[in-house]
Amino acid sequence: MMVSRRDVLKIAVAGVLGAAVGGAGGYYSRQVEIDNLKKEVEELSKQIGEVKVKLEPNLNIYNWTYYINKNIIEQWAKENGVSIVYDTFESLDEVVAKLQTGTSGYDVAVVSDSPLRELADLGVLEPIDLKKIPNFKYVPERFKNPYFDPENKYSVIYSYGTTGLGWNNKEVSPEVRAWADVFEVDRHLGRYKGKITMHTDTIETFGAALIYLGKDPSSMRDEDLREAVELLKKQKPYLAGYASTEEYMEGLETGRFLISHAYNGDIAGIIYASDEREITVYKQLEYISYAFPEEGALAWADSFVIPKGAKNIESAHAFINFILDPLVSAICTITVKYPFPTGRDYVPEELKEDPVIFTPDEYLDKLYWTRPFTPEERAKRAEYWLELMAA
Amino acid sequence: MSIFLKVFVIMVFIFLYSPIAVMVLFSFNESKSLGVFTNFSLKWYEKILANPHVWSGLYNSLWVAAVVTVVSIILGLMMALVVTRYNFSGRSILESIILIPIIIPEIAEALSLMVMYIFLNIPMGPMTVIIGHIAFDISYVTVVMRARMIGYDKSVEEAARTLGANEFQTFIRITLPMLYPAILASGLLAFTLSFDDLIKTLFTTGPGFRTLPLIIWSSAARGGVSPELNSLSSFALSISFLFAIFRLRAEKGAGR
Amino acid sequence: MSRIEEVLRYIRRSRRLKISLLLAPPIIFLAIWFYAPFLILGLYSFNMINIYREIVFTPSLEHYTRVLSWTGAINIYLRSLYFAGLTVILCLLIGYPAAYYISFKMKKYKDVFIILFIIPFWVSFLLRTYAMMNLLDERGLLNTMLMSLGAINTPLKIMYTDVAVILVMVYDYLVMMVLPLYANLEKLDRTLLEAASTLGAGPIRTFIKVTLPLSMPGIMAGFLLVFIPAVGEFVVPELVGGPNNYMVGNIIYEIFMGARHWWIGSAFSMLFIAFILSLVIVYIRKIGERGLAL
């Protein structure tokens, strides 16, 4: 785990400085942060001296696209003599399909809340040994012991957020505030016909419709789903389509889409200049905003898991521990603009205070969490989804 | 009438060639524009050729296709020999067994294979991809070989036998050289099918194992059209073309 | 004399054994890696494998009846048939004149032109699809050209529509129509055409009464070779289609990967495969196997 902190520091400081130059002024305020950062790092360096565990030579990681700082993981791999395979997926379907096999070949994967429960119930996850993850102590209480994995038997928090509406504040007015805006024809839906997208993930899109209708987004009652699918069918002719991350990020940036049902972190990723290798904190596109719909929204939490059959368990734990390191988490946050909970105190002020990145705690309480579905329930939802696709 | 037909055929050829030509042309475009060609530039090529993933993808595609080709040729040749040389009851069943893998839509085939791998707890990776490719390449190889072997002159073999060569010797010395064009043609087809395969690979691959078509697919499905992808696709295209030219020459060599 | 040689001699003599030895490796390979997966799919579809992947004896047709009651899936299925049919017709309308022209009107450069026709299809399916995406894109060359010519004011929205899906499928599968047609037209007995015209039939009449009926086997082979992959299409609607362009391949994907309900997914796949196979069986009964194997 003892990636030399000097290297991490180098990356961090260089990045923050780069940002300071790139950003519009504010250099001095950042200088203070950098000093703090340095002090913190020195402090942490003194704690080095933990027993070094022998790591396996390989580590196969499976994560969402565009979700980490590539430089520091390469650094970690080099320092520890671990050779990393870093694969990415674009939808939950992909990762769950691979992991449910129990022979995925991955040692670490990142999975969202309720599918994680399903996988745990299928018995295709290895238990996580928190003793091997000392940095777990930095995880804020609210992210420990989550409803989908009591006592963190199989998972450790990676990142979290909400699914709301990303929108173009230059072209769209009045401001987007609610699901009603994208479900009612006399509001934005009609006005921006052909420029709005909903999410490709059925849970997200059904969830949004159910929340708008004032129902439980995890509802499996036929009358609720019927109502939701009818609503979505009415909405469909006005949409540009159903889009997932890369598509709506590109679409919002180029103006092909004006309003997109999107993950907050993706929107933050467009607003702030960001790249998987550089760390920057200046705003690149001021014209994109993110709205937490006032009716409420789905929250999600991505967590680390160790899939069954993982061959490099020690390395997997060491890697998880590394990412939980507050400094590393901070760097990841600064890089991809998704919040890494343990790093919150170390990110520059404007990111820390930006509600698009760190969902305010009081808001988190108002959000809905999806519950795990059984295969029967998923099939029922697929039936409705196919009906929507056929309409 | 005839002139209409001529114009129509010319238009068909334009329809056939323009998309590919445009893709290749714009891969050399300096700007990011997809509609206006500004200046000639190799920068997109520099970018993709500097990407190690592209090279490892190419490498994976090539070696998978090579293994698939060798195994498919051996198995396909065995089947083709039986189909062309022997008459026996159950022949029509055999014909169906050969034909079905060609007919069944690939997505059904790929998913069923994936389901079986999972059912049997077989970890997915290069081996499972190779097996999947062979499972449908055998049929193509058999069909192509059979087409080439019909009308094949058996008298030479018989002559060799009467001159005292045993069956094995006859096979190595006479049959195989005579079948060479058929083997080459079917082998190149098998290679191309494997090299270009997307769907089978998509559902049966494992950690870190990506082929060139997979790389192209994931960027096309996610980000749509881009100049980088144009150059990557043109790069892949040039490799496919290389093999196609081999194939053409093999076909020519096979004559008739 | 060793036993080995005895065995070898026996093999040499026995035709049946020789056939079996030659057939065993490929057949076993296909049995395990091609046919067994469908067996497992069948077990899933009849509810004979449980969630823990154990084989259990609880046969039932519930997954079949269930998926048949999914109106959405059925509608998409029917739409796929319609899309594939449209693709076939367009391929025929484009491919027939081309094959006819090359076969009948060309003398010297026939081979060259048929190869010129095939060359674009050396490019892999995925790349062809991508090349079309490039052209049809809202910011693509087609739109910029039409706009600079003043033919249109706003870019045509072709990408992510039905038109794109069908256009790209036609582009992808045209060769599958033209090759069997061309082979068929080449074999067509020219003296019959001459006979027709000496008997006073005009060129159009000759075409309708003689050429077209005689080229029916080629058309049918082309139909099958285009229709089957087009119905099961997954890549094209995924890349160029919009929310209205789900096809059978997407349904299968959605049930297997999205809902992860392998039982219903298997039942649906089995029904689809049965449909395709019955098409082929009808074809073979009527026309024979030739023409399918290119």
Side-chain angles (χ1 to χ4, degrees), chain C residues 22-282:
Chain C
L22 274 176
L23 275 185
I27 294 287
I28 291 173
F29 190 96
L30 282 180
I32 297 177
W33 303 116
F34 186 86
Y35 289 98
F38 287 106
L39 185 74
I40 289 173
L41 223 55
L43 288 178
Y44 267 108
S45 75
F46 291 111
N47 201 33
M48 286 171 67
I49 295 180
N50 66 17
I51 189 167
Y52 303 105
R53 290 185 227 136
E54 296 154 349
I55 296 182
V56 285
F57 195 75
T58 49
S60 121
L61 287 174
E62 59 176 306
H63 304 302
Y64 286 92
T65 50
R66 186 139 170 224
V67 78
L68 286 172
S69 76
W70 285 15
T71 49
I74 300 296
N75 285 339
I76 294 171
Y77 194 103
L78 294 176
R79 198 171 56 200
S80 299
L81 296 183
Y82 169 68
F83 275 23
L86 221 53
T87 306
V88 169
I89 291 170
L90 283 169
C91 281
L92 189 64
L93 290 179
I94 296 171
Y96 200 104
Y100 181 85
Y101 187 83
I102 296 175
S103 177
F104 281 75
K105 304 282 166 180
M106 284 192 166
K107 293 187 181 75
K108 255 195 195 157
Y109 297 113
K110 246 184 205 181
D111 287 354
V112 176
F113 270 87
I114 202 73
I115 285 173
L116 275 180
F117 201 95
I118 299 172
I119 286 176
F121 299 94
W122 287 346
V123 178
S124 80
F125 178 82
L126 176 65
L127 291 182
R128 265 179 281 149
T129 306
Y130 175 72
M132 279 296 264
M133 283 170 73
N134 210 358
L135 196 64
L136 299 179
D137 196 276
E138 211 171 319
R139 306 154 292 162
L141 189 67
L142 187 69
N143 272 318
T144 37
M145 261 170 57
L146 288 175
M147 278 172 58
S148 64
L149 289 174
I152 48 171
N153 290 325
T154 47
L156 291 177
K157 271 197 188 306
I158 302 177
M159 270 300 270
Y160 312 116
T161 64
D162 297 3
V163 180
V165 173
I166 290 170
L167 205 60
V168 172
M169 285 203 297
V170 169
Y171 184 65
D172 283 341
Y173 295 124
L174 187 57
V175 78
M176 305 297 259
M177 177 61 87
V178 169
L179 287 188
L181 253 180
Y182 176 76
N184 179 277
L185 290 173
E186 278 293 271
K187 274 185 279 178
L188 202 145
D189 190 350
R190 308 291 150 118
T191 54
L192 284 175
L193 305 183
E194 282 162 30
S197 68
T198 37
L199 289 174
I204 292 175
R205 210 175 140 79
T206 310
F207 177 78
I208 292 172
K209 290 280 173 184
V210 184
T211 318
L212 197 59
L214 284 176
S215 56
M216 236 19 215
I219 295 176
M220 291 317 289
F223 165 79
L224 217 56
L225 291 173
V226 174
F227 190 78
I228 290 176
V231 177
E233 195 46 68
F234 164 71
V235 172
V236 175
E238 195 73 13
L239 288 182
V240 308
N244 285 318
N245 310 116
Y246 262 44
M247 293 183 70
V248 172
N250 307 82
I251 304 182
I252 295 180
Y253 183 89
E254 188 65 47
I255 307 178
F256 268 107
M257 309 294 280
R260 301 191 292 287
H261 200 294
W262 290 8
W263 301 267
I264 294 179
S266 299
F268 186 84
S269 305
M270 294 305 271
L271 289 173
F272 178 51
I273 290 163
F275 167 73
I276 297 286
L277 286 182
S278 59
L279 269 186
V280 175
I281 288 168
V282 169

Side-chain angles (χ1 to χ4, degrees), chain A residues 60 65 85-90 94 97-98 100-106 246-247 250, chain B residues 53 114 117-118 121-124 202-210 221-223 225:
Chain A
N60 298 337
T65 50
V85 168
Y86 189 86
D87 281 355
T88 57
F89 53 86
E90 164 87 350
E94 289 173 59
K98 289 273 182 206
Q100 72 174 0
T101 65
T103 52
S104 67
Y106 292 105
E246 302 254 349
E247 200 185 347
E250 190 259 358
Chain B
H53 290 296
M114 182 195 87
Y117 287 148
I118 294 173
N121 275 322
I122 299 173
M124 290 190 247
L202 189 65
F203 291 104
T204 56
T205 190
F209 194 75
R210 306 225 292 160
R222 285 165 191 171
V225 186

Side-chain angles (χ1 to χ4, degrees), chain A residues 162-163 199 201 204 245 248 262-267 290 300 338:
Chain A
T162 57
T163 322
H199 210 281
D201 189 308
E204 297 294 355
T245 297
Y248 63 67
Y263 299 126
N264 62 327
D266 288 344
I267 301 304
Y290 178 78
W300 48 265
Y338 270 92

